[in-house]
Amino acid sequence: MLGLPSIPAFCLRPRDLRRGAVLTMAFLAAVGTGAYTGCWDREERAAVAVVPAGAPTAEGPRETGTADREAVARAVAEAVAEGKSGKKAAQEVVSRSGDRWGTVYDQGEYAAFAEGLDGHWTGVGVWAGRAPDGMIKVDKVQPGSPAARAGLRAGDRLLSVDGHAVTGLAVPDVVALLRGDAGTPVVLNLSRDGADLTETVRREQLKTEPVTVRQRPDGVTVIKVASFTRGSGDRVKAAVKAAPPGEGVVLDLRGNPGGLVTEAVTTASAFLDGGLVATYDVRGDQRVLYAAEGGDTSRPLVALVDGGTMSAAELVAGALQDRGRAVAVGSRTFGKGSVQMPTELPDGSVAELTVGTYRTPAGRSLDGGGITPDVPAGERVEERAVTVLGGLGVGP
């Protein structure tokens, strides 16, 4: 879904900011209008929301700086008064601050992000991220999408969009080039195995199913949560209730980039009977996330995780692991655990700045370190999960 950044993204509509401060929680492993962000507004306080952000490092967790909101706003006001780009001025202040996940968005960008919250968006059907060499690479192509029909593949490098070179550009700038109305063409110049190719694709209204459920022959129910878009938590709850009595569940969070924290908390609530999901702070003010009561606390549960498990997905996995509710199987998660809050700027753009950190019920900070699975597994992870369920008293 070309059109969103592969950096912490933003889901606020303009009306959200007028209501007051909003927290977001997301790492968009997608460059496309269809990646998933997390947010909460005044009407959603019952579930609350957090924004983990950060990156895993060999050294473990690192300090994340933050830009001063007033300094950013002043820079924007001065730039606008001089006829310069307010967004660019804000980006420069945020960059100098050392806030690794601080970002700046214009109104059009975050308005487009809101589409993805309902699981639909306008794009060509490509997930992409920045490669270590700074180029934009295709991570995933949605089956049946315009990109898939044009033959785009994971691993392709994006060189230009409608003749505009993208190598070295900030991801939000690439996003601006990719965005457009449904039905409009976009010319993509790519590199594949050293050879250049050009494809013209038309943007379409796309959608995805954030939660899929399947029943294994051995009776185990596998619930795959691809992202936490609106309604995904209730879908997980329904799937748990529909699972065969006494049989185990595999909650597959691999490759989940995060999303709405309200949906993440609802997902955790499917397996908990109230209690703590996470704590977080906003400039030193401590807050909490609680699960709803009435979840299934007896059904054996395994959570599958990997390096693509991020943000809200890590919040769920960490809560279930710390509460002794699930055995985590797979590989270490990405490690995003800092809280960010957006600030509307004088020119209408928005700066999303780091304001604190969040912790699991046991007090663990996952920022940089991620979640270490209880049972490491590389290949045949699902089969390993079923074996673990067998050790818990279910399965073959």
Side-chain angles (χ1 to χ4, degrees):
M1 286 82 49
L2 287 170
L4 286 186
S6 58
I7 52 181
F10 197 88
C11 70
L12 303 178
R13 300 172 178 84
R15 62 180 177 81
D16 293 320
L17 288 174
R18 287 196 293 269
R19 287 174 180 161
V22 181
L23 295 178
T24 64
M25 177 182 189
F27 180 86
L28 282 289
V31 174
T33 48
Y36 306 106
T37 67
C39 69
W40 63 280
D41 57 29
R42 300 297 183 183
E43 282 79 0
E44 294 178 312
R45 288 187 178 221
V48 195
V50 187
V51 182
T57 65
E59 311 83 56
R62 289 165 39 194
E63 287 289 325
T64 298
T66 185
D68 180 80
R69 290 178 297 173
E70 295 182 358
V72 175
R74 283 197 302 271
V76 171
E78 291 172 0
V80 172
E82 297 172 1
K84 300 178 181 178
S85 168
K87 177 183 174 183
K88 184 176 181 180
Q91 288 174 325
E92 292 176 352
V93 175
V94 173
S95 177
R96 291 196 302 267
S97 74
D99 189 336
R100 290 176 293 147
W101 297 107
T103 52
V104 182
Y105 303 95
D106 61 35
Q107 291 187 12
E109 287 169 347
Y110 68 73
F113 297 161
E115 286 186 292
L117 297 178
D118 293 317
H120 60 80
W121 59 91
T122 301
V124 300
V126 172
W127 279 265
R130 188 172 297 284
D133 60 5
M135 296 183 69
I136 301 297
K137 66 182 179 69
V138 175
D139 286 332
K140 177 182 175 183
V141 178
Q142 183 181 0
S145 67
R149 295 194 297 271
L152 271 67
R153 307 174 189 171
D156 288 347
R157 301 298 180 97
L158 182 63
L159 303 178
S160 68
V161 178
D162 285 336
H164 299 276
V166 299
T167 300
L169 288 184
V171 177
D173 294 332
V174 179
V175 169
L177 295 174
L178 294 165
R179 186 172 297 113
D181 297 328
T184 58
V186 57
V187 180
L188 306 179
N189 179 234
L190 306 111
S191 174
R192 179 186 299 162
D193 300 327
D196 290 354
L197 64 153
T198 300
E199 298 290 347
T200 299
V201 295
R202 288 188 178 275
R203 303 175 178 95
E204 293 181 0
Q205 283 289 323
L206 302 171
K207 65 178 181 179
T208 189
E209 291 296 331
V211 178
T212 54
V213 184
R214 59 186 172 86
Q215 192 80 32
R216 289 174 51 96
D218 52 30
V220 173
T221 297
V222 179
I223 304 174
K224 170 68 175 178
V225 186
S227 60
F228 291 107
T229 53
R230 205 176 306 282
S232 57
D234 285 337
R235 294 185 186 185
V236 172
K237 279 190 169 184
V240 174
K241 290 181 179 179
E247 296 293 348
V249 166
V250 173
L251 180 65
D252 190 348
L253 299 174
R254 292 175 297 172
N256 185 321
L260 286 165
V261 177
T262 51
E263 300 298 337
V265 173
T266 300
T267 295
S269 299
F271 305 99
L272 300 170
D273 186 15
L276 189 62
V277 173
T279 61
Y280 67 100
D281 67 276
V282 177
R283 299 187 182 93
D285 181 19
Q286 298 298 314
R287 306 181 187 184
V288 295
L289 295 165
Y290 288 115
E293 298 180 351
D296 187 328
T297 60
S298 60
R299 188 186 300 274
L301 175 65
V302 166
L304 297 185
V305 297
D306 66 4
T309 303
M310 308 176 185
S311 299
E314 291 179 286
L315 184 150
V316 173
L320 295 176
Q321 186 184 50
D322 280 5
R323 296 280 300 273
R325 184 60 191 89
V327 176
V329 175
S331 54
R332 192 183 69 150
T333 62
F334 187 82
K336 291 177 58 65
S338 63
V339 179
Q340 295 171 309
M341 181 176 288
T343 298
E344 187 171 17
L345 301 175
D347 65 344
S349 60
V350 177
E352 190 177 51
L353 309 176
T354 300
V355 296
T357 58
Y358 89 97
R359 295 180 180 275
T360 67
R364 291 184 294 164
S365 172
L366 303 179
D367 195 23
I371 294 171
T372 301
D374 301 300
V375 180
E379 299 180 356
R380 299 177 61 83
V381 178
E382 187 176 305
E383 295 304 319
R384 188 67 181 273
V386 172
T387 299
V388 171
L389 286 173
L392 297 174
V394 299

